[in-house]
Amino acid sequence: MRRFDYARTSRAGEAVDLVAGEPAGAFVAGGTDLLNLMKDGAEAHDLVVDINDLPLADVEVAGDAGRERLRIGALARLADVAAHPRVSRELPVLAQALLATASPQVRNMATVGGNLLQRTRCWYFRDPGFACNKREPGSGCPARDGQNRWHAILGGSDHCIAVHPSDLAVALRALDATVHTLGPRGRRAIPIGDLHREPGSAPERETALRHGELITAVEVPLPRRGTRSGYLKVRDRATFEFAVVSIAAVLRGEGRMVRDIALAFGGIATRPWRSAEAEDALRGRRLTDETVAAAGRALVADARPRAHNAFKVELVQRALHELIGTLGDGR
């Protein structure tokens, strides 16, 4: 790890100015990802600005009855959000995704903002001994023909097939959350679906954030009465493991009749993946083995599996059947 300067501030505007003024500057909060990136040599920074003193850790409900939304400060710790009574009671998909993240120790340190911006665990990216277009644009993507069991079957390109790792981001994608930021050009509200980018020809640009732009909060609409939701994570071990396949579902209906549904997926794509095709296959229909199977086929219709990850095509369809079946039974 190379030497770097360290600064700490309790003012968001000052933190933004400090990082924006240093091309190799970065924010740090829980540090559960950034420090590993720097130690591994995947990232190098001349300035690290500690933002833990910023007043951005509250979790509160705002808005009028019937249009309430949960505002989660970017520095709220994952464990605290999962334990919030409105989250556990009204947003099980969010609580379950948070509790499936990493380990209790990490959840006590990691922040909402940092979790959304964590970088892929692709071993070619994390090891400077390999070429990687994310780390060094134009150097190549050895994952395409290498060990790619963990890699994407959707949203990839000839330049990158690395999977986005966040469980939280998948749940927020299904909940149509909004990300609030403060940057050198002022404040922005970014729909969660616009935050993360597909790699295309520029895989080094992973989000819509500009340099020096700081996530300050995430807002989640609280669901209407009768909404059911859940998160299913398939992984190689029970804790401290990233998803091989994950699904967030938010369903509104009567019995097994679906009035509306949102489906988001992790472990299979280069960013948190929302499938309008799978949703359309279920919306306005009864939940049956046939309709859920049709939704699964629609999801993977454009999949591009590689040598070691073709099993994900079937696995994600089986996982969808399990989760939708559970929600359809009212559980």
Side-chain angles (χ1 to χ4, degrees):
M1 182 187 295
R2 78 184 192 194
R3 294 174 60 89
F4 60 90
D5 292 328
Y6 171 86
R8 189 169 186 135
T9 178
S10 60
R11 294 180 295 171
E14 183 178 23
V16 167
D17 290 342
L18 285 169
V19 172
E22 173 52 67
F27 302 109
V28 66
T32 55
D33 190 30
L34 179 68
L35 299 183
N36 287 330
L37 288 165
M38 295 174 71
K39 289 177 181 179
D40 292 343
E43 287 189 11
H45 298 286
D46 294 327
L47 172 66
V48 173
V49 178
D50 189 328
I51 58 172
N52 281 292
D53 291 338
L54 302 186
L56 299 176
D58 291 340
V59 181
E60 54 193 4
V61 176
D64 301 325
R67 300 186 64 182
E68 290 182 319
R69 60 191 185 277
L70 190 73
R71 186 176 178 90
I72 306 169
L75 293 180
R77 308 296 167 170
L78 303 188
D80 293 335
V81 178
H84 191 279
R86 297 294 294 268
V87 173
S88 58
R89 185 169 64 248
E90 300 176 50
L91 296 167
V93 63
L94 180 56
Q96 291 166 17
L98 289 169
L99 292 174
T101 299
S103 66
Q105 295 88 343
V106 171
R107 294 194 293 271
N108 285 334
M109 285 294 296
T111 64
V112 166
N115 184 275
L116 292 179
L117 298 180
Q118 66 180 298
R119 304 196 70 185
T120 181
R121 263 54 185 189
C122 171
W123 38 74
Y124 297 111
F125 166 70
R126 295 269 170 167
D127 187 343
F130 290 99
C132 175
N133 287 323
K134 277 187 180 295
R135 198 179 59 249
E136 186 179 346
S139 63
C141 177
R144 295 176 66 240
D145 298 312
Q147 292 294 325
N148 44 43
R149 177 180 184 271
W150 284 90
H151 289 72
I153 60 173
L154 291 167
S157 72
D158 290 341
H159 300 270
C160 183
I161 56 170
V163 166
H164 189 274
S166 172
D167 294 293
L168 170 62
V170 175
L172 292 177
R173 187 82 199 271
L175 290 166
D176 289 321
T178 300
V179 177
H180 294 269
T181 69
L182 175 65
R185 303 183 191 179
R187 298 186 181 276
R188 284 204 292 166
I190 305 172
I192 188 70
D194 295 336
L195 178 64
H196 300 100
R197 294 165 45 96
E198 291 178 35
S201 60
E204 73 280 6
R205 295 180 58 198
E206 296 178 356
T207 75
L209 298 187
R210 306 175 182 117
H211 180 64
E213 193 168 11
L214 174 70
I215 293 179
T216 56
V218 175
E219 281 194 344
V220 182
L222 288 173
R224 296 168 58 180
R225 183 174 298 177
T227 298
R228 289 163 276 171
S229 69
Y231 187 76
L232 176 62
K233 181 175 183 177
V234 181
R235 46 188 166 175
D236 287 342
R237 58 186 181 186
T239 188
F240 217 158
E241 188 64 278
F242 295 94
V244 178
V245 162
S246 66
I247 306 173
V250 180
L251 182 155
R252 183 172 58 84
E254 300 170 6
R256 299 188 68 83
M257 176 59 70
V258 178
R259 300 302 179 194
D260 200 10
I261 190 167
L263 296 171
F265 300 84
I268 62 170
T270 53
R271 63 172 183 154
W273 196 259
R274 185 80 177 260
S275 177
E277 295 81 7
E279 293 169 3
D280 288 344
L282 294 170
R283 190 176 291 112
R285 294 176 170 85
R286 288 186 58 80
L287 291 176
T288 65
D289 289 344
E290 290 75 20
T291 56
V292 177
R297 290 193 298 271
L299 166 67
V300 299
D302 295 326
R304 295 181 60 191
R306 300 282 171 172
H308 305 292
N309 66 3
F311 70 95
K312 290 187 178 184
V313 174
E314 181 177 355
L315 180 61
V316 71
Q317 294 180 77
R318 288 175 176 265
L320 178 64
H321 189 277
E322 179 176 341
L323 178 60
I324 295 300
T326 298
L327 295 179
D329 292 337
R331 290 181 279 153

